[in-house]
Amino acid sequence: MIRRLIPAVAVVALLAGCSDEADPSRPVGDASPGVLRVLAGSELADLQPVLDEAAKATGISVKFSFTGTIEGAEKVASGAAEQGFDAVWFSSNRYLELVPEAQKRLGTPTKVMSSPVVLGLPAAKVRELGWDSKRVGWAEIAEAAGARKFTYGMTDPSASNSGFSALVGVAAALSGSGSALDAAKINAVAPQLKQFFSAQTLSAGSSGWLSEAYQRRARGEDPGAKVDGLINYESVLLSQNELTLVYPSDGVVTADYPLTLLTSASSEAREAHQKLSDYLKSPDAQRRIMDTTHRRPAVPQVPLDGKFAVKDLVELPFPGSQSAVDGLITTYFDQLRRPSRTLYVLDTSGSMQGDRIEGLRQALVGLTGADESLAGKFNRFHGREQVTLLPFNSTAQPPLKYEVAADNPRPVLDQIRTTATSLDAAGGTAIYSSLRSGYDVLHEQINADPDRFTSIVLMTDGENTGSEDIGQFETFHRNLQQNLKGIPIFPVLFGESATAEMDRLAKMSGGKVFDARSRSLSSAFKEIRGYQ
């Protein structure tokens, strides 16, 4: 079923006192009366107006620190979350409840609102597909995707719940069994899943950035190729995109946003949680949430707004074990989706000597599978991925090229690890001439194999000392052929990086800046994986 959207303007503001650091286990403040410290998914930033009103009405303010669902589950499971937080608030507790050590630390949940993950396409594309006057299921959607009748963007399922829910939803629907996914069911529908994911041409680590990138491309502000649609939360699509929503007739996976107290919470935090929960479940607050965030109310007495054209949705079964979920995500990266190609342009100048070069070594080693944490095991280099390391100092060094085998990745991962540990620091910092050299490598690789997610990671700890400056590089970039111009550059701020110039690089290429100046380089490299 479908719905045509009326364009709306949504302003997503960061909440006062929130943090988007990759290591959110750091306390966000000492426990104090009237404050609820919450480890949360970043999409909850749009609750700002509602929480401001809640603070006035109840005296309870929320102090957020943002993280991804799987990384958050690890913080809860290890007990690290208890060191700085009173509660967790993710789009769903389903994954946390599959991790025994996390599940036992979860206290009382309050489901505040809901939003299904659905497909959004332009109305003209929906008519072209013949979906404007009929019910359509995931199998038909997958078939059209496999025939490249449309393309779409989706978030990384290991970093963002919207991508995670889409992956679970389409796999559950295609299995057709009506019961929880397991390894056998996943393997049985792998060919259809691969067909479906062949049409994914845009990836992101967060739903917000995905939507923004989609709109930039639609307006011609981003050099990347235009994407037909998005798989995202219904609320995001209602808020920001003039799209037609396609609600698969065989079901969806819905986020229910449970505000969940940790079992370690103090009596004061328990009281604050109860007051806030009671307020958020009140009819007035539920209507405000619906109007402000475009999410569905959790209270049955509050009727759905007319913008929710499909009222009753079929909820698809969620995997019944952590191993099934982990297996599905691993299969997605190593077998199902279009493979990646990543060029790492790495500063090994003299200013990197000491702890900095060691941090770079460890960041790369972590991507070879050395990190066995819940989140780390999905942030490694994936099967079928092309990885090129291009160290530079006064000049670019010879590129070091690798391709990770899908069936036996360890030998190549070990080679990358050996190379990473041998990196040394000396010389100047020729950023732009070295970055230009990287395009020669990518030109050759893209001509040989064009159907890949391709990106550039630039890591530098200082300002450019080479003969080519940012202005000259911008001229070079403007004159690139389109398939090279649209490759996103992800600069990593480190040390004394020239922030303004790194912002310019990201903007001209449709990329994003990642800041490692107040956190480890490893955490920044892992976060970038969601965008590759």
Side-chain angles (χ1 to χ4, degrees):
M1 298 182 70
I2 59 176
R3 166 175 169 81
R4 180 59 193 264
L5 298 186
I6 300 173
V9 177
V11 179
V12 179
L14 290 178
L15 295 172
C18 72
S19 165
D20 60 358
E21 292 177 352
D23 182 9
S25 63
R26 247 184 284 174
V28 294
D30 294 333
S32 58
V35 175
L36 195 66
R37 302 169 301 165
V38 181
L39 182 62
S42 60
E43 65 267 27
L44 292 173
D46 65 358
L47 276 175
Q48 170 86 55
V50 177
L51 293 176
D52 283 347
E53 293 168 3
K56 292 176 183 177
T58 66
I60 305 302
S61 61
V62 173
K63 198 164 190 179
F64 273 137
S65 184
F66 293 140
T67 188
T69 299
I70 293 178
E71 187 175 3
E74 183 171 35
K75 300 300 182 186
V76 175
S78 68
E82 297 176 353
Q83 306 306 310
F85 301 96
D86 308 304
V88 295
W89 200 353
F90 297 109
S91 52
S92 171
N93 279 352
R94 293 186 185 99
Y95 187 80
L96 279 78
E97 290 168 348
L98 294 177
V99 181
E101 289 301 312
Q103 196 278 333
K104 71 182 184 181
R105 299 178 191 274
L106 298 177
T108 306
T110 298
K111 295 181 180 180
V112 174
M113 53 200 174
S114 68
S115 192
V117 173
V118 296
L119 170 64
L121 290 169
K125 179 61 68 173
V126 173
R127 288 194 297 270
E128 177 186 317
L129 292 165
W131 296 349
D132 54 338
S133 58
K134 61 179 266 190
R135 293 171 62 84
V136 58
W138 280 113
E140 188 172 351
I141 293 171
E143 183 179 358
R148 289 296 181 94
K149 293 182 179 180
F150 72 94
T151 60
Y152 65 89
M154 189 185 92
T155 60
D156 179 340
S158 72
S160 171
N161 189 71
S162 62
F164 182 45
S165 297
L167 175 59
V168 169
V170 68
L174 292 177
S175 73
S177 66
S179 58
L181 284 170
D182 57 24
K185 294 186 181 73
I186 293 167
N187 290 334
V189 298
Q192 286 174 286
L193 288 172
K194 188 169 184 177
Q195 185 181 48
F196 175 72
F197 289 115
S198 70
Q200 183 188 354
T201 57
L202 178 64
S203 182
S206 72
S207 295
W209 192 87
L210 180 78
S211 181
E212 292 165 6
Y214 173 83
Q215 292 190 52
R216 286 195 303 270
R217 292 189 181 193
R219 295 191 299 262
E221 298 170 0
D222 184 320
K226 289 186 178 180
V227 182
D228 290 323
L230 292 176
I231 293 180
N232 213 324
Y233 295 115
E234 176 190 54
S235 59
V236 172
L237 298 174
L238 284 169
S239 299
Q240 299 190 22
N241 298 299
E242 188 180 359
L243 295 172
T244 295
L245 267 64
V246 179
Y247 294 85
S249 57
D250 39 4
V252 295
V253 173
T254 301
D256 56 10
Y257 300 96
L259 173 57
T260 307
L261 200 66
L262 294 172
T263 56
S264 59
S266 66
S267 58
E268 291 84 358
R270 291 174 186 276
E271 182 179 352
H273 175 267
Q274 188 63 56
K275 285 183 178 179
L276 181 62
S277 297
D278 289 344
Y279 175 84
L280 293 174
K281 294 292 286 289
S282 68
D284 285 346
Q286 288 282 290
R287 283 188 287 269
R288 181 79 163 109
I289 288 171
M290 184 166 53
D291 292 342
T292 302
T293 74
H294 306 284
R295 297 188 183 97
R296 299 177 179 225
V299 176
Q301 304 92 293
V302 177
L304 282 177
D305 187 278
K307 63 190 171 188
F308 303 106
V310 180
K311 310 296 184 185
D312 299 316
L313 300 172
V314 176
E315 192 67 18
L316 290 165
F318 197 79
S321 68
Q322 182 187 350
S323 61
V325 173
D326 292 352
L328 180 59
I329 295 175
T330 299
T331 301
Y332 166 79
F333 284 119
D334 289 347
Q335 300 178 32
L336 301 178
R337 77 163 207 165
R338 295 168 63 225
S340 295
R341 173 187 294 117
T342 311
L343 171 70
Y344 287 85
V345 183
L346 305 170
D347 187 345
T348 59
S349 63
S351 61
M352 286 287 292
Q353 288 181 359
D355 291 343
R356 292 183 179 182
I357 194 68
E358 182 58 27
L360 174 58
R361 293 171 187 145
Q362 292 306 312
L364 291 170
V365 167
L367 298 182
T368 65
D371 185 347
E372 297 180 354
S373 64
L374 285 178
K377 62 186 175 183
F378 300 124
N379 289 325
R380 62 171 172 81
F381 295 122
H382 305 306
R384 306 169 299 149
E385 182 172 0
Q386 289 180 350
V387 179
T388 300
L389 305 183
L390 184 65
F392 74 92
N393 43 47
S394 300
T395 59
Q397 305 304 302
L400 305 164
K401 304 175 185 177
Y402 307 91
E403 184 159 349
V404 182
D407 54 350
N408 184 23
R410 181 44 52 194
V412 173
L413 293 177
D414 287 344
Q415 291 174 28
I416 297 174
R417 182 180 302 192
T418 299
T419 298
T421 56
S422 67
L423 292 175
D424 207 357
T429 312
I431 296 174
Y432 300 109
S433 59
S434 300
L435 191 55
R436 182 197 285 249
S437 297
Y439 283 91
D440 294 333
V441 177
L442 291 175
H443 179 70
E444 178 183 339
Q445 292 177 330
I446 289 172
N447 283 345
D449 183 4
D451 194 27
R452 288 177 175 266
F453 287 106
T454 301
S455 63
I456 298 171
V457 177
L458 169 65
M459 192 290 302
T460 179
D461 76 332
E463 297 187 358
N464 178 56
T465 62
S467 58
E468 183 172 340
D469 62 22
I470 181 69
Q472 292 169 305
F473 181 80
E474 284 177 323
T475 300
F476 161 77
H477 190 269
R478 279 195 299 271
N479 293 322
L480 285 170
Q481 61 190 51
Q482 191 58 44
N483 62 346
L484 293 173
K485 188 185 299 183
I487 296 170
I489 301 173
F490 299 119
V492 181
L493 301 180
F494 193 59
E496 296 77 41
S497 294
T499 305
E501 293 188 7
M502 296 302 103
D503 285 340
R504 287 167 68 179
L505 285 175
K507 185 175 181 180
M508 77 174 73
S509 66
K512 173 180 168 65
V513 174
F514 295 83
D515 197 339
R517 291 172 298 183
S518 59
R519 57 170 168 159
S520 71
L521 194 56
S522 291
S523 63
F525 273 28
K526 290 174 188 174
E527 186 182 356
I528 292 171
R529 298 296 294 164
Y531 296 78
Q532 297 176 322

XYZ file of all heavy atoms in Angstrom, residues 152-159 163-164 166-168 170-171 186 190 193-194 196-198 200-204 324-340 378 380 382-384 453 529-530 532:
416
model
N 18.013 2.684 -4.164
C 17.628 3.232 -2.863
C 18.848 3.353 -1.959
O 19.902 2.750 -2.194
C 16.565 2.353 -2.195
C 17.035 0.960 -1.835
C 17.633 0.697 -0.602
C 16.893 -0.105 -2.724
C 18.083 -0.570 -0.279
C 17.332 -1.367 -2.411
C 17.926 -1.606 -1.182
O 18.375 -2.863 -0.851
N 18.668 4.148 -0.903
C 19.663 4.259 0.151
C 19.141 3.616 1.423
O 17.933 3.626 1.696
N 20.050 3.081 2.216
C 19.698 2.413 3.472
C 20.851 2.562 4.441
O 22.011 2.611 4.028
C 19.407 0.936 3.214
C 18.828 0.176 4.395
S 18.650 -1.599 4.032
C 20.232 -2.233 4.638
N 20.566 2.638 5.731
C 21.649 2.751 6.702
C 22.314 1.396 6.949
O 21.754 0.337 6.677
C 21.141 3.309 8.040
O 20.131 2.433 8.573
C 20.584 4.706 7.883
N 23.510 1.461 7.485
C 24.293 0.289 7.854
C 23.569 -0.457 8.982
O 23.330 0.098 10.051
C 25.669 0.761 8.327
C 26.586 -0.358 8.779
O 26.106 -1.451 9.104
O 27.803 -0.112 8.840
N 23.200 -1.736 8.784
C 22.446 -2.455 9.820
C 23.238 -2.739 11.090
O 22.643 -3.081 12.112
C 22.032 -3.760 9.129
C 22.992 -3.923 8.013
C 23.359 -2.536 7.570
N 24.557 -2.580 11.053
C 25.345 -2.780 12.274
C 25.499 -1.483 13.058
O 25.988 -1.499 14.189
C 26.737 -3.332 11.934
O 27.555 -2.353 11.320
N 25.073 -0.356 12.467
C 25.254 0.940 13.114
C 23.949 1.657 13.388
O 23.886 2.501 14.280
C 26.145 1.837 12.245
N 18.384 0.531 9.234
C 18.960 -0.470 8.339
C 18.832 -1.871 8.900
O 18.551 -2.834 8.174
N 19.036 -1.994 10.198
C 18.898 -3.273 10.890
C 17.474 -3.796 10.730
O 17.249 -4.973 10.391
C 19.250 -3.053 12.368
C 19.204 -4.275 13.230
C 19.765 -5.463 12.829
C 18.609 -4.217 14.478
C 19.738 -6.586 13.650
C 18.574 -5.326 15.315
C 19.138 -6.519 14.895
N 15.260 -2.960 8.424
C 14.997 -3.277 7.022
C 15.566 -4.637 6.662
O 14.908 -5.446 5.984
C 15.604 -2.195 6.124
N 16.782 -4.917 7.099
C 17.413 -6.205 6.821
C 16.603 -7.344 7.427
O 16.316 -8.348 6.764
C 18.840 -6.206 7.380
C 19.628 -7.511 7.285
C 19.767 -7.961 5.839
C 21.006 -7.345 7.929
N 16.208 -7.207 8.693
C 15.409 -8.235 9.361
C 14.055 -8.384 8.666
O 13.575 -9.503 8.421
C 15.215 -7.894 10.850
C 14.166 -8.806 11.487
C 16.537 -8.022 11.602
N 12.953 -7.615 5.505
C 12.919 -8.225 4.174
C 13.300 -9.703 4.256
O 12.712 -10.545 3.557
C 13.818 -7.450 3.184
C 15.291 -7.589 3.523
C 13.563 -7.915 1.753
N 14.255 -10.064 5.131
C 14.633 -11.471 5.278
C 13.479 -12.287 5.856
O 13.192 -13.403 5.393
C 15.866 -11.592 6.171
N 17.759 -17.997 6.677
C 18.561 -16.940 6.061
C 19.246 -17.461 4.802
O 19.231 -16.815 3.745
C 19.597 -16.392 7.063
C 18.888 -15.658 8.211
C 20.580 -15.451 6.370
C 19.788 -15.349 9.388
N 18.848 -16.251 0.691
C 20.013 -15.440 0.337
C 19.997 -14.961 -1.109
O 20.324 -13.792 -1.380
C 21.302 -16.203 0.639
N 17.643 -12.060 -1.291
C 18.199 -10.925 -0.549
C 19.300 -10.237 -1.349
O 19.373 -9.003 -1.390
C 18.740 -11.399 0.802
C 17.708 -11.784 1.855
C 18.391 -12.427 3.068
C 16.901 -10.566 2.300
N 20.141 -11.021 -1.990
C 21.208 -10.433 -2.804
C 20.619 -9.632 -3.955
O 21.118 -8.545 -4.302
C 22.134 -11.535 -3.332
C 23.381 -10.999 -4.015
C 24.384 -12.113 -4.279
C 25.669 -11.544 -4.874
N 26.698 -12.597 -5.073
N 17.723 -8.104 -3.903
C 17.173 -6.890 -3.316
C 18.266 -5.863 -3.032
O 18.141 -4.687 -3.378
C 16.425 -7.236 -2.033
C 15.903 -6.047 -1.279
C 14.833 -5.325 -1.765
C 16.487 -5.650 -0.090
C 14.344 -4.214 -1.073
C 16.010 -4.551 0.607
C 14.934 -3.829 0.113
N 19.359 -6.289 -2.419
C 20.396 -5.346 -2.008
C 21.283 -4.887 -3.162
O 22.071 -3.955 -2.994
C 21.231 -5.944 -0.872
C 20.486 -6.019 0.427
C 20.188 -7.242 1.000
C 20.049 -4.870 1.057
C 19.476 -7.323 2.190
C 19.339 -4.927 2.241
C 19.045 -6.154 2.812
N 21.146 -5.496 -4.318
C 21.919 -5.022 -5.474
C 21.509 -3.611 -5.881
O 22.264 -2.907 -6.542
C 21.736 -5.974 -6.657
O 20.411 -5.893 -7.178
N 20.846 -1.188 -3.728
C 21.275 -0.200 -2.741
C 22.502 0.534 -3.258
O 23.542 -0.064 -3.510
C 21.601 -0.863 -1.401
C 21.988 0.142 -0.323
C 22.498 -0.497 0.950
O 22.483 -1.713 1.101
N 22.979 0.326 1.871
N 22.396 1.844 -3.418
C 23.512 2.629 -3.963
C 23.984 3.727 -3.019
O 24.863 4.502 -3.369
C 23.102 3.274 -5.305
O 21.926 4.080 -5.116
C 22.816 2.215 -6.355
N 23.396 3.790 -1.823
C 23.804 4.784 -0.842
C 23.738 4.158 0.539
O 22.740 3.519 0.889
C 22.883 6.013 -0.905
C 23.144 7.141 0.089
C 24.514 7.778 -0.144
C 22.048 8.216 -0.015
N 24.815 4.315 1.316
C 24.861 3.782 2.669
C 25.192 4.905 3.635
O 25.776 5.924 3.253
C 25.920 2.676 2.776
O 25.947 2.119 4.078
N 24.817 4.735 4.897
C 25.091 5.757 5.911
C 25.063 5.113 7.283
O 24.465 4.056 7.482
C 24.067 6.886 5.839
N 21.502 -15.700 15.338
C 20.786 -15.504 14.076
C 20.933 -14.069 13.589
O 21.147 -13.823 12.399
C 19.313 -15.865 14.251
N 20.816 -13.110 14.506
C 20.985 -11.702 14.136
C 22.401 -11.450 13.634
O 22.614 -10.842 12.584
C 20.664 -10.785 15.327
C 21.014 -9.336 14.992
C 19.194 -10.881 15.706
N 23.386 -11.904 14.402
C 24.778 -11.681 14.015
C 25.090 -12.348 12.683
O 25.808 -11.787 11.844
C 25.712 -12.220 15.101
C 25.625 -11.420 16.392
O 24.954 -10.372 16.392
O 26.227 -11.851 17.402
N 24.531 -13.542 12.471
C 24.752 -14.238 11.209
C 24.139 -13.505 10.032
O 24.718 -13.441 8.945
N 22.968 -12.912 10.259
C 22.307 -12.158 9.199
C 23.109 -10.919 8.829
O 23.298 -10.608 7.642
C 20.897 -11.770 9.651
C 20.047 -10.969 8.665
C 19.861 -11.722 7.356
C 18.692 -10.633 9.284
N 23.606 -10.199 9.821
C 24.398 -8.991 9.545
C 25.703 -9.355 8.838
O 26.110 -8.699 7.867
C 24.683 -8.222 10.845
C 23.378 -7.700 11.452
C 25.636 -7.055 10.585
C 23.557 -7.039 12.803
N 26.363 -10.407 9.305
C 27.611 -10.846 8.666
C 27.371 -11.242 7.219
O 28.147 -10.885 6.318
C 28.215 -12.027 9.443
O 28.512 -11.611 10.784
C 29.492 -12.522 8.795
N 26.292 -11.981 6.979
C 25.951 -12.397 5.613
C 25.672 -11.191 4.728
O 26.056 -11.153 3.557
C 24.739 -13.330 5.633
O 25.042 -14.477 6.428
C 24.382 -13.799 4.227
N 25.004 -10.195 5.290
C 24.720 -8.975 4.533
C 26.009 -8.348 4.011
O 26.125 -8.019 2.821
C 23.966 -7.989 5.433
C 23.898 -6.572 4.900
C 22.985 -6.221 3.914
C 24.757 -5.586 5.388
C 22.919 -4.918 3.421
C 24.690 -4.281 4.903
C 23.777 -3.958 3.924
O 23.723 -2.671 3.448
N 27.000 -8.182 4.885
C 28.236 -7.521 4.472
C 29.087 -8.392 3.561
O 29.643 -7.912 2.571
C 29.052 -7.133 5.700
C 28.523 -5.931 6.430
C 28.111 -6.017 7.750
C 28.420 -4.703 5.799
C 27.622 -4.915 8.423
C 27.925 -3.592 6.460
C 27.525 -3.700 7.781
N 29.214 -9.666 3.883
C 30.162 -10.521 3.176
C 29.608 -11.122 1.889
O 30.373 -11.543 1.017
C 30.632 -11.655 4.087
C 31.548 -11.173 5.201
O 32.008 -10.020 5.122
O 31.800 -11.940 6.156
N 28.261 -11.168 1.759
C 27.692 -11.864 0.607
C 26.589 -11.112 -0.129
O 26.464 -11.246 -1.343
C 27.121 -13.219 1.056
C 28.115 -14.162 1.682
C 27.458 -15.453 2.151
O 26.497 -15.919 1.555
N 27.952 -16.024 3.228
N 25.768 -10.348 0.592
C 24.525 -9.865 0.002
C 24.622 -8.512 -0.687
O 24.181 -8.345 -1.820
C 23.430 -9.806 1.074
C 23.106 -11.126 1.773
C 22.043 -10.903 2.835
C 22.648 -12.178 0.761
N 25.154 -7.534 -0.002
C 25.119 -6.192 -0.569
C 26.257 -5.993 -1.578
O 27.178 -6.822 -1.672
C 25.208 -5.143 0.534
C 26.597 -4.947 1.094
C 26.693 -3.631 1.855
N 28.062 -3.147 1.830
C 28.429 -1.917 2.138
N 27.525 -1.039 2.512
N 29.682 -1.539 2.078
N 26.183 -4.901 -2.346
C 27.268 -4.579 -3.266
C 28.560 -4.428 -2.473
O 28.579 -3.817 -1.410
C 26.963 -3.283 -4.008
C 25.769 -3.364 -4.928
C 25.346 -1.988 -5.395
N 26.377 -1.335 -6.167
C 26.742 -0.054 -6.009
N 26.187 0.694 -5.067
N 27.666 0.472 -6.772
N 29.665 -4.989 -2.956
C 30.919 -4.910 -2.192
C 31.488 -3.500 -2.160
O 31.128 -2.644 -2.981
C 31.856 -5.867 -2.945
C 31.295 -5.921 -4.330
C 29.804 -5.767 -4.196
N 32.390 -3.278 -1.221
C 32.983 -1.952 -1.018
C 34.367 -1.855 -1.644
O 35.061 -2.857 -1.852
C 33.110 -1.655 0.483
O 31.854 -1.568 1.092
N 31.626 -6.338 13.411
C 30.977 -5.936 12.169
C 31.703 -4.786 11.493
O 31.392 -4.440 10.353
C 29.527 -5.527 12.440
C 28.693 -6.620 13.039
C 28.027 -6.435 14.240
C 28.586 -7.851 12.408
C 27.263 -7.447 14.795
C 27.825 -8.872 12.959
C 27.169 -8.673 14.153
N 34.919 -4.668 10.798
C 36.126 -5.119 10.116
C 35.990 -4.934 8.603
O 34.909 -4.651 8.087
C 36.371 -6.603 10.428
C 35.260 -7.513 9.933
C 35.600 -8.982 10.057
N 34.464 -9.829 9.750
C 34.064 -10.150 8.536
N 34.702 -9.659 7.482
N 33.020 -10.940 8.347
N 35.283 -6.171 5.084
C 34.320 -7.213 4.749
C 34.795 -8.075 3.584
O 35.655 -7.675 2.795
C 32.975 -6.575 4.386
C 32.436 -5.674 5.447
N 32.260 -6.089 6.750
C 32.043 -4.374 5.407
C 31.764 -5.091 7.464
N 31.636 -4.037 6.677
N 34.181 -9.242 3.485
C 34.446 -10.116 2.354
C 34.122 -9.415 1.048
O 33.141 -8.672 0.960
N 34.976 -9.590 0.027
C 34.867 -9.003 -1.324
C 35.316 -7.547 -1.368
O 35.326 -6.938 -2.431
C 33.431 -9.103 -1.867
C 32.847 -10.516 -1.865
C 31.358 -10.490 -2.167
N 30.649 -9.731 -1.147
C 29.538 -9.037 -1.370
N 29.018 -8.977 -2.587
N 28.947 -8.380 -0.395
N 30.448 0.133 -3.831
C 30.487 1.326 -3.000
C 31.943 1.766 -2.928
O 32.807 0.982 -2.509
C 30.003 1.017 -1.579
C 28.522 0.789 -1.451
C 28.019 -0.486 -1.267
C 27.639 1.852 -1.495
C 26.661 -0.700 -1.132
C 26.275 1.656 -1.361
C 25.780 0.370 -1.177
N 32.945 3.180 8.959
C 32.539 1.962 8.264
C 31.063 1.973 7.895
O 30.653 1.382 6.900
C 32.833 0.729 9.136
C 34.301 0.518 9.468
C 35.128 0.247 8.240
N 34.779 -1.017 7.625
C 35.112 -1.363 6.382
N 35.810 -0.526 5.626
N 34.762 -2.521 5.893
N 30.234 2.654 8.693
C 28.815 2.707 8.392
C 28.475 3.467 7.126
O 27.353 3.366 6.620
N 30.434 3.329 4.269
C 31.209 2.790 3.151
C 30.502 1.607 2.479
O 29.795 0.869 3.110
C 32.582 2.328 3.655
C 33.410 3.477 4.215
C 34.719 2.998 4.808
O 34.791 1.948 5.430
N 35.754 3.785 4.639
